[in-house]
Amino acid sequence: MSRSSRSRLPFEVWALVAGGFTVALGYGVVAPAIPQFALEFGVTSFAASAIVSAFALMRLVSAPLAGWAVGRFGERATYTTGILIVALSTGAAAIAGNYTQFLLLRGIGGVGSAMFTVAATALLIKVSPPDARGRVASLNSAGFLLGGLLGPVFGGIVAGFGLRAPFVFYFFTLVAAATVVAVALRTSAAARRAEPGVLPLPAMPLGEALRVSQYRSLLLSVFAFGWSSFGVRVSVIPILVAVSFGGDAATAAWVLAAYAAGNAVLILPSGRWNDTMGRKPMLVVGLAVLAASYAAMPASPNVWVAAVAMLVAGAGSALVNPGQQAVLADVLAQRRGGNVVAAYSMTSDLGGVLGPLIAGALVDLAGFGWAFGVTAALLLFACVAWAVLPDSRQLARAGDPAPGDPASGDPEPGSAA
């Protein structure tokens, strides 16, 4: 394949990245309003926080359903259905009359979110050229990062119209994302190959994937990543800032913003490095950097050192996250695998749920050193697991179908460009 062919990405990739950006933007607008809106019903702070937990819990338990839906109805239909479920439940939440209705609607939204996440990941894997899987993963992460950064900016403006306004805004952004992807992929041969009844694609059962050592290590690392980056980072670090440094919520926000800054610096180069140098070096280095950063957090003498540690952790996460999605694509090798993707998503969510609970308990029982030490040890364990394995790109070269193989129904590499 020529260099110019490698430099171009299929338009389906850009459509999915745009959809992900739109979803992240809308979520960034509505997320700060969710607990505050719950408090309007006269409930306790615990009950208001439970709204967030209900969404996360339903995402977790609905992942197997999402995997089944992808296998039964195809990625495109599952993507659109899932995102519309979130849209409708969010729009209805804007007119919820009591706390129970609001809690139920957010739980339903979690089901749709699981369907969207699994289907979006499977679609990206399906339409990604084998030699650009790292680039695609980093672009997708960058889209979510940018949307997440801009969301709160818009949120401050939208919230000026009342606490129900962000839910209405998110409703329209979700409908826009579903429309963009549905229209863009309507005539896409690459996306249609992912749907049943079009070509006889062989699906990869979860049991087959679990026999691949790289997939088992992938589940370990996404669990550790979910535990640390989606869990401990957003729950325990603000407590550390308050208790150890006397910082307020704004100070904690700046420390967390340093993580986003470190991520933003390396997220796009990381994709190129994953495709040129391999997944293994990025995963090993990134996980080692994350482990060191989290281990250093409780020893930070002031908030500025803590912010630097988070900046470095963000850079490490930029190396890890695209590499993990690229490994998943290597394992599937453009085969269907809704349950394989669902297990990947569910394991990450499980880490995000257990991390704050266990680390928070460790803070109460033994202090911040133990909480961050256990987190660092988990990341280091995942690092060692990757260090002893061959790079997953070898799986891609062995497992990808031969160009134009009609039995597989898969495309010739790069043909979607």
Side-chain angles (χ1 to χ4, degrees):
M1 185 184 298
S2 68
R3 181 177 179 179
S4 61
S5 297
R6 289 198 302 268
S7 65
R8 293 193 304 271
L9 292 176
F11 80 93
E12 297 95 336
V13 169
W14 295 106
L16 289 165
V17 170
F21 165 78
T22 306
V23 170
L25 175 69
Y27 183 75
V29 169
V30 79
I34 291 173
Q36 295 180 17
F37 185 55
L39 289 174
E40 292 290 303
F41 296 116
V43 299
T44 64
S45 296
F46 175 80
S49 300
I51 296 289
V52 179
S53 298
F55 185 88
L57 178 62
M58 291 307 297
R59 266 185 55 91
L60 179 64
V61 301
S62 299
L65 170 65
W68 172 84
V70 166
R72 178 65 178 82
F73 303 107
E75 286 90 337
R76 207 165 46 121
T78 305
Y79 180 105
T80 305
T81 302
I83 207 167
L84 289 178
I85 289 174
V86 182
L88 292 173
S89 63
T90 301
I95 57 174
N98 55 59
Y99 174 81
T100 303
Q101 291 178 8
F102 189 41
L103 179 66
L104 178 62
L105 288 167
R106 289 305 295 164
I108 293 172
V111 177
S113 178
M115 294 174 65
F116 155 74
T117 302
V118 171
T121 302
L123 267 173
L124 273 173
I125 289 171
K126 179 60 70 171
V127 303
S128 298
D131 64 349
R133 287 167 177 162
R135 286 175 58 202
V136 170
S138 67
L139 277 173
N140 187 50
S141 297
F144 271 96
L145 177 64
L146 181 60
L149 291 175
L150 293 178
V153 177
F154 283 92
I157 299 172
V158 174
F161 296 95
L163 285 176
R164 296 179 188 268
F167 295 92
V168 177
F169 181 91
Y170 193 29
F171 167 79
F172 283 110
T173 60
L174 289 167
V175 171
T179 303
V180 166
V181 172
V183 171
L185 302 188
R186 182 170 53 88
T187 58
S188 166
R192 288 177 65 246
R193 276 191 298 271
E195 298 179 0
V198 178
L199 283 176
L201 285 173
M204 174 178 282
L206 179 59
E208 180 181 340
L210 288 171
R211 291 194 291 271
V212 179
S213 56
Q214 285 86 350
Y215 183 71
R216 295 195 300 271
S217 290
L218 176 63
L219 295 183
L220 172 61
S221 67
V222 296
F223 177 81
F225 191 80
W227 175 296
S228 59
S229 296
F230 302 145
V232 171
R233 176 175 63 92
V234 297
S235 62
V236 179
I237 287 178
I239 299 174
L240 174 71
V241 170
V243 172
S244 298
F245 311 126
D248 56 11
T251 304
W254 281 111
V255 173
L256 294 179
Y259 181 95
N263 193 282
V265 169
L266 289 186
I267 191 64
L268 292 179
S270 171
R272 294 194 300 271
W273 297 337
N274 267 280
D275 288 329
T276 55
M277 290 187 283
R279 330 302 189 204
K280 177 177 176 177
M282 298 301 102
L283 288 166
V284 171
V285 172
L287 286 166
V289 168
L290 278 170
S293 301
Y294 278 89
M297 278 299 295
S300 300
N302 55 59
V303 71
W304 298 107
V305 175
V308 171
M310 278 294 95
L311 180 74
V312 175
S317 74
L319 301 179
V320 173
N321 203 24
Q324 291 180 148
Q325 185 174 312
V327 170
L328 180 62
D330 291 340
V331 170
L332 285 171
Q334 296 187 322
R335 294 170 62 183
R336 290 184 295 120
N339 288 330
V340 176
V341 178
Y344 166 89
S345 177
M346 188 175 182
T347 304
S348 176
D349 285 343
L350 182 62
V353 170
L354 292 180
L357 296 176
I358 297 176
L362 286 172
V363 169
D364 290 336
L365 293 173
F368 288 105
W370 274 95
F372 285 99
V374 169
T375 300
L378 186 59
L379 289 163
L380 189 60
F381 185 41
C383 175
V384 172
W386 281 117
V388 300
L389 288 177
D391 196 286
S392 66
R393 288 194 302 174
Q394 297 181 18
L395 292 175
R397 284 191 283 271
D400 282 336
D405 183 356
S408 71
D410 284 332
E412 183 174 345
S415 63

